Amino acid sequence: MAAFTLKINGREHQIDVDPNTPLLWAIRDNVGLTGTKYGCGVAQCGACTVHLDGQTLRSCSLPVSAVGKSEVTTIEGLNSKEGGAVQKAWAALDVPQCGYCQSGQIMSATALLELNPKPSDQDIDLAMNGNLCRCATYVRIRAAIHAAAKSLEG
Amino acid sequence: MNAHVKPATELSRRSLLKAGAGLVLGVYVARSGIAFAEDAPAAKSVNIVPNTFLVIGKDDTVTVLCKHIEFGQGPFTGMATLVAEELDADWAQMRADHAPSNPVLYKNLLFGVQGTGGSSAISNSYEQMRKVGAAAREMLVAVAADEWKVPAGEITVEKGVIKHASGKQSGFGAFAEKAMQLPVPANPKLKDPSEFKLIGKEGAVKRLDTIAKSNGTAEYTLDIHDPGTLTVLVARSPRFGGKVASFDASAAKAVPGVFDIKEVPNGVAVYAEGFWPAKTARDLLKISWDDSKAEKRGTDQLLNEFRALSKTSGALVKQEGDVEAEIAKGGRLIETEFVFPYLAHAPMEPINAFIHWKGDTASARYGSQFPTPDHAVIAQVLGLDISKVELKTILAGGSFGRRAQQSTHVAMELAQAAKAIGPGRPIKLVWTREDDMRAGYYRPFGVHRMRGVVRDGKIVAWADTIVGQSIMKGSPFEAMTFKDGLDSTAYEGSNDIPYAVPNFRCDLHQVDVGVPVLWWRSVGHTHTGYAVEAFVDQLLEAAGQDPVEGRLAMMADKPRHAGVLKAVAELANWKGAKVEAGRARGVAVVESFNTFVAQVVELSMGADGPVVHKVWCAVDCGVAVNPDIIRAQMEGGIGFALGHILYAQQTLDGGVPVSGNFNTYRSLRINEMPEVEVVVVPSTEKPSGVGEPGVPPLGPAVANAMAKLGLPRPTQLPIRPGDTA
Ligand code: FES
Ligand code: FES
């Protein structure tokens, strides 16, 4: 066990855990933020996607000891204008079905738009193909990303 | 009824009294904010005492208690649409939550117990929920008439506002308490469909669960962190039917955060403060397994056995004319063997469940798809009367059939794990993805051997010998699904093909294998749909007929099959379209759960296999309640089917499941998702379900498009077995 200070959504959290604990479980079980999901534990599904210093990260595959001073953003702390546009587009198109993958989808989609305000279909494929959706809501995810990009233009 | 909180017993007695009078409605003042408001800041599940279907709050909110589990297929929105339509509510005031476990009030009218399955949510609730809305409307109007001293007939209700020409008006909340005192009308007048404002109207409603599912607040079982909760991981036998011989937990016990380790009937349970310590400790357990009764066959061996059986006749399911005599007459005999793998459901949220056993009482909370049997088994294992056990269904991260456990194995494991450490601490049973993938309950492995005769451009004989495992054998559904000792879900779709063929035979070898199997999104149609639709296409090709015209010619008495087939042909411009070089199209039509779906697939061949560019889909599900949810289910069904047809299989090596995660059990990714265009065929038939029927036609349509490119139709699925992530 060891003490760590995690900076999540702008707040510091002290936790005392096994240094190998994946960031995902520290966020969920120790910090108590449950919007970030577990789907595979091996960086294959993207349900656990968070932002680490603004970049997408599969939180199931990074030990807490490697986070250091980096800033973590989870779905609960998503407040960029791109994040808001993505969430609005998700609602307008009723993207989610079971919803379980959608925090991860939204984190990836937001990071994409923060980097690339006008992504092509191919850009979307590249940015989003690490996020599985077993309900296969992909048609709407794609449409919603384009819609969010459009809403950010004006 | 007063606005303050009533004790649970009083509320349930009251509502049961009402229900006992043959009524399905209770109106009471909500005791707190309920989940799934479009504008709710945080949609946390609220435990609701057993009530009936409708809760009208003083704040005018209308909450529908949904007896079906919401795992993406849309019953929250569907049930609320039906109620709001007849109640003349405004969509913005509608909410939904899961009904608690209570088979008297909330039984599925199709199965007689509370449960979701068979794409039945809308079909079995269509009238029931409309009556709830209509009854509540009549009661509210009666109160208004009394208060305003005007005739009830002069009162109108529109978008949640009760009005009289005198200028008097009110929302629902102000009259809810008084309405509760009135007798519930047994036969309230329902609207004529021409008066519908929400049902079947494009854009009239939005999903009630979207917001909570887009901001991380929707609560799933994995998210339950009640104070003191221990996470439980169970080490289970690697082979089906294995038992613990002995185990050494000394290293595991030393892991910080581990609370206890106990043997349970299924294996060895680790109780810890959170997932990571539990997982770390479980990995350190040393267990030796007694495999004397375990299934040790691998899928290669099963295939050899099934294949040999398929060359002999099985138990007769259906026969017309004389297939063998027709074969003897000559013509072109075509024989094709289709092999279907075991498939895992792999819902995005792996299996899990929560319970707090307090000694005299217990309360469980999880995504239970069959609350009635789950509830009973929890009470039985804990030795409690069922009235002392609460079971609340909450949102689940997908199911595809996996959470409808007729064996109640998860409820049982949950209760056994609670029992093993005794009452006090709440426990959350968590399965890892690997647990979920390797635990069985698969779509059964199976073989279809098809034989057909084409003579003079016509299909004159058709035989289908199926080898497969029964899903229903030994389950509470055996009586309902077995006919003449055979599981009808093993052959559904194969015995009643929509094509008129004069000589027909379907038979089945029902084989026992020690691998637990389960219904998987569209059940028997997952394989019969493929076998029938790929084979009919093959025969039509041999007969020199067009896949659409040829099918239609044999469907004279199947108007709804023909209807969707024509609709999809028109949508895709089947006859006139100029298909790009290197691409080809295939078609298939399958009815499942009384819903008819036809799909046209356009694909090309990439370096590693087919690349599907577009799918056109026509669906006839009777009255379309929520067109956008129907479209969403077709899109999702298509993507789900395509991923499995291309990549998915669970193989067994000496009885041990090989795939444990998405790196080997490949799932469709966004870059592989085709464009989808859906047409909902207008219909006045009784509404039927859409959760499953989008799945079956996709696979054979892919196979048939490949054939158009001169390739063989894949006869062993998946199409790209070696492909991993
Ligand atoms: S849980 Fe991290 S990628 Fe699946
Ligand atoms: S919405 Fe269910 S997994 Fe994506």
Side-chain angles (χ1 to χ4, degrees):
Chain A
M1 304 289 267
F4 297 95
T5 301
L6 293 178
K7 196 154 182 218
I8 304 178
N9 302 334
R11 277 188 52 197
E12 295 199 337
H13 299 265
Q14 261 80 38
I15 58 170
D16 188 24
V17 294
D18 169 2
N20 292 322
T21 304
L23 175 61
L24 168 67
W25 295 106
I27 291 171
R28 291 184 53 86
D29 286 350
N30 301 97
V31 177
L33 295 170
T34 56
T36 309
K37 304 301 187 199
Y38 161 80
C40 71
V42 292
Q44 288 290 324
C45 77
C48 64
T49 306
V50 298
H51 295 174
L52 192 72
D53 297 329
Q55 308 263 350
T56 56
L57 172 89
R58 310 292 179 228
S59 65
C60 67
S61 299
L62 186 78
V64 129
S65 57
V67 176
K69 293 200 171 358
S70 292
E71 297 215 16
V72 179
T73 307
T74 69
I75 185 84
E76 291 90 347
L78 191 69
N79 56 16
S80 67
K81 73 174 191 310
E82 290 84 0
V86 166
Q87 282 170 321
K88 270 212 187 92
W90 248 241
L93 295 178
D94 272 348
V95 172
Q97 289 187 24
C98 84
Y100 193 80
C101 73
Q102 298 294 345
S103 295
Q105 305 284 2
I106 287 170
M107 295 310 284
S108 291
T110 301
L112 166 64
L113 290 180
E114 284 170 359
L115 259 159
N116 177 354
K118 225 179 158 355
S120 64
D121 277 335
Q122 213 179 355
D123 297 332
I124 292 174
D125 284 347
L126 281 173
M128 301 299 294
N129 73 10
N131 286 83
L132 295 184
C133 175
R134 291 289 289 167
C135 300
T137 60
Y138 299 128
V139 167
R140 290 174 191 227
I141 289 173
R142 182 183 303 282
I145 293 173
H146 284 308
K150 192 135 204 268
S151 77
L152 288 165
E153 271 174 13
Chain B
M1 159 121 207
N2 298 317
H4 68 261
V5 178
K6 289 282 182 187
T9 45
E10 189 176 330
L11 277 174
S12 54
R13 199 165 5 94
R14 182 195 295 269
S15 50
L16 277 165
L17 275 176
K18 291 208 163 205
L23 304 164
V24 286
L25 172 79
V27 184
Y28 76 90
V29 179
R31 59 181 186 152
S32 63
I34 286 158
F36 301 106
E38 274 285 359
D39 53 358
K44 291 284 176 194
S45 270
V46 174
N47 254 337
I48 296 176
V49 292
N51 198 276
T52 45
F53 290 107
L54 186 62
V55 179
I56 295 183
K58 281 209 141 173
D59 58 355
D60 289 335
T61 55
V62 176
T63 302
V64 174
L65 296 189
C66 180
K67 63 181 182 174
H68 307 280
I69 181 171
E70 173 64 81
F71 42 52
Q73 81 289 31
F76 272 16
T77 307
M79 298 302 121
T81 303
L82 299 175
V83 171
E85 177 68 70
E86 297 288 347
L87 182 59
D88 282 312
D90 186 49
W91 188 247
Q93 74 192 125
M94 298 306 294
R95 312 284 184 268
D97 196 3
H98 288 105
S101 169
N102 185 326
V104 178
L105 297 175
Y106 301 121
K107 64 171 176 269
N108 186 313
L109 304 177
L110 185 68
F111 332 134
V113 299
Q114 191 174 347
T116 305
S119 293
S120 63
I122 288 281
S123 61
N124 101 89
S125 302
Y126 185 61
E127 251 200 42
Q128 189 181 31
M129 288 299 120
R130 287 173 61 204
K131 277 187 172 168
V132 167
R137 185 187 191 279
E138 283 185 15
M139 292 158 81
L140 291 165
V141 166
V143 174
D146 187 54
E147 296 270 315
W148 297 340
K149 308 283 177 250
V150 300
E154 290 178 6
I155 291 174
T156 59
V157 184
E158 209 180 325
K159 291 205 162 184
V161 182
I162 310 170
K163 271 188 199 159
H164 183 257
S166 59
K168 291 207 160 56
Q169 67 171 59
S170 170
F172 297 159
F175 294 156
E177 268 177 47
K178 283 208 166 157
M180 182 69 193
Q181 314 300 328
L182 299 177
V184 181
N187 277 309
K189 189 172 172 303
L190 297 181
K191 285 184 183 172
D192 183 86
S194 62
E195 301 168 272
F196 286 164
K197 295 191 177 82
L198 303 176
I199 293 176
K201 300 293 177 229
E202 288 289 349
V205 310
K206 299 291 292 173
R207 282 187 70 120
L208 293 175
D209 50 354
T210 291
I211 300 291
K213 287 177 175 176
S214 304
N215 63 17
T217 58
E219 190 186 51
Y220 302 84
T221 306
L222 194 69
D223 304 333
I224 298 175
H225 283 85
D226 285 10
T229 298
L230 292 166
T231 298
V232 181
L233 263 67
V234 175
R236 299 175 195 82
S237 166
R239 286 195 171 84
F240 302 110
K243 292 255 172 279
V244 176
S246 62
F247 71 100
D248 170 5
S250 46
K253 270 203 170 133
V255 172
V258 169
F259 178 78
D260 208 343
I261 293 176
K262 295 279 188 197
E263 187 172 344
V264 290
N266 262 359
V268 179
V270 176
Y271 305 76
E273 312 279 350
F275 177 90
W276 193 248
K279 164 91 168 47
T280 308
R282 189 177 72 169
D283 291 347
L284 292 170
L285 288 170
K286 292 194 190 76
I287 307 175
S288 70
W289 298 97
D290 170 5
D291 276 347
S292 55
K293 296 213 175 79
E295 175 64 66
K296 297 184 200 69
R297 284 177 289 179
T299 27
D300 287 350
Q301 193 180 343
L302 287 177
L303 178 55
N304 289 336
E305 293 176 18
F306 280 32
R307 199 168 250 165
L309 270 176
S310 74
K311 292 177 180 157
T312 65
S313 290
L316 188 65
V317 173
K318 190 178 168 194
Q319 178 159 254
E320 273 167 14
D322 188 338
V323 169
E324 301 307 326
E326 197 62 32
I327 291 175
K329 279 193 215 161
R332 183 160 170 208
L333 173 65
I334 294 174
E335 179 168 337
T336 305
E337 174 198 84
F338 293 103
V339 179
F340 298 93
Y342 283 120
L343 293 177
H345 305 71
M348 205 70 225
E349 178 186 26
I351 293 292
N352 45 31
F354 169 90
I355 193 166
H356 189 184
W357 179 28
K358 294 161 203 153
D360 296 342
T361 60
S363 61
R365 227 152 84 221
Y366 62 96
S368 171
Q369 194 171 341
F370 279 165
T372 303
D374 278 8
H375 200 169
V377 86
I378 292 169
Q380 190 195 342
V381 170
L382 295 178
L384 294 173
D385 188 84
I386 197 158
S387 64
K388 302 288 180 200
V389 179
E390 266 182 356
L391 170 59
K392 176 78 194 325
T393 296
I394 65 171
L395 293 176
S399 171
F400 316 120
R402 183 65 180 88
R403 293 178 210 273
Q405 291 139 357
Q406 84 266 60
S407 73
T408 65
H409 72 101
V410 174
M412 201 173 319
E413 189 176 81
L414 174 72
Q416 286 166 341
K419 195 171 177 188
I421 49 159
R425 301 274 301 255
I427 61 165
K428 179 167 64 174
L429 174 70
V430 174
W431 290 34
T432 63
R433 173 60 59 200
E434 288 80 3
D435 295 342
D436 186 74
M437 211 81 106
R438 296 203 169 109
Y441 300 95
Y442 304 129
R443 190 285 301 272
F445 182 84
V447 170
H448 282 247
R449 181 166 304 280
M450 319 285 299
R451 289 176 305 146
V453 178
V454 172
R455 196 182 316 118
D456 303 331
K458 283 208 158 69
I459 302 172
V460 293
W462 175 293
D464 183 354
T465 297
I466 307 169
V467 187
Q469 223 181 314
S470 167
I471 294 171
M472 304 293 180
K473 195 173 171 184
S475 85
F477 294 92
E478 186 176 314
M480 189 172 141
T481 52
F482 264 56
K483 278 197 198 95
D484 303 325
L486 298 177
D487 184 341
S488 62
T489 69
Y491 59 73
E492 57 183 358
S494 275
N495 63 320
D496 54 356
I497 63 170
Y499 308 113
V501 178
N503 300 284
F504 177 88
R505 184 183 163 94
C506 173
D507 54 52
L508 171 70
H509 293 276
Q510 194 165 286
V511 185
D512 287 331
V513 183
V515 177
V517 290
L518 193 60
W519 34 55
W520 186 99
R521 198 172 186 179
S522 78
V523 199
H525 302 281
T526 58
H527 53 96
T528 62
Y530 189 92
V532 168
E533 282 299 297
F535 193 59
V536 76
D537 213 74
Q538 189 181 1
L539 296 183
L540 286 172
E541 187 186 332
Q545 297 202 41
D546 173 75
V548 171
E549 294 303 324
R551 278 176 175 80
L552 287 172
M554 295 186 288
M555 279 180 173
D557 60 345
K558 299 283 175 188
R560 296 180 76 188
H561 285 88
V564 288
L565 190 54
K566 285 181 195 154
V568 84
E570 191 183 313
L571 186 69
N573 189 13
W574 177 262
K575 273 195 193 145
K578 263 226 190 90
V579 180
E580 225 177 273
R583 292 189 179 190
R585 290 177 172 194
V587 68
V589 55
V590 179
E591 179 257 314
S592 56
F593 311 98
N594 294 322
T595 290
F596 300 76
V597 180
Q599 291 168 0
V600 168
V601 157
E602 182 171 312
L603 55 72
S604 61
M605 291 305 288
D608 307 311
V611 177
V612 177
H613 303 284
K614 177 147 186 187
V615 179
W616 293 264
C617 175
V619 50
D620 169 3
C621 55
V623 172
V625 174
N626 297 117
D628 196 50
I629 289 182
I630 295 168
R631 276 194 296 272
Q633 286 305 300
M634 293 301 120
E635 293 160 7
I638 285 164
F640 185 79
L642 181 58
H644 290 88
I645 289 291
L646 289 176
Y647 304 118
Q649 64 174 337
Q650 180 58 289
T651 52
L652 308 179
D653 182 2
V656 179
V658 174
S659 272
N661 213 315
F662 293 122
N663 49 357
T664 49
Y665 195 85
R666 180 95 146 65
S667 195
L668 197 80
R669 296 180 180 279
I670 192 169
N671 53 308
E672 301 162 313
M673 182 73 197
E675 195 188 323
V676 177
E677 201 176 329
V678 180
V679 62
V680 181
V681 175
S683 170
T684 51
E685 300 277 344
K686 206 172 159 311
S688 49
V690 293
E692 301 173 87
V695 172
L698 189 278
V702 168
N704 297 337
M706 287 172 69
K708 270 274 155 79
L709 285 176
L711 297 157
R713 290 177 185 80
T715 54
Q716 184 156 2
L717 296 177
I719 297 172
R720 295 166 58 176
D723 210 303
T724 53

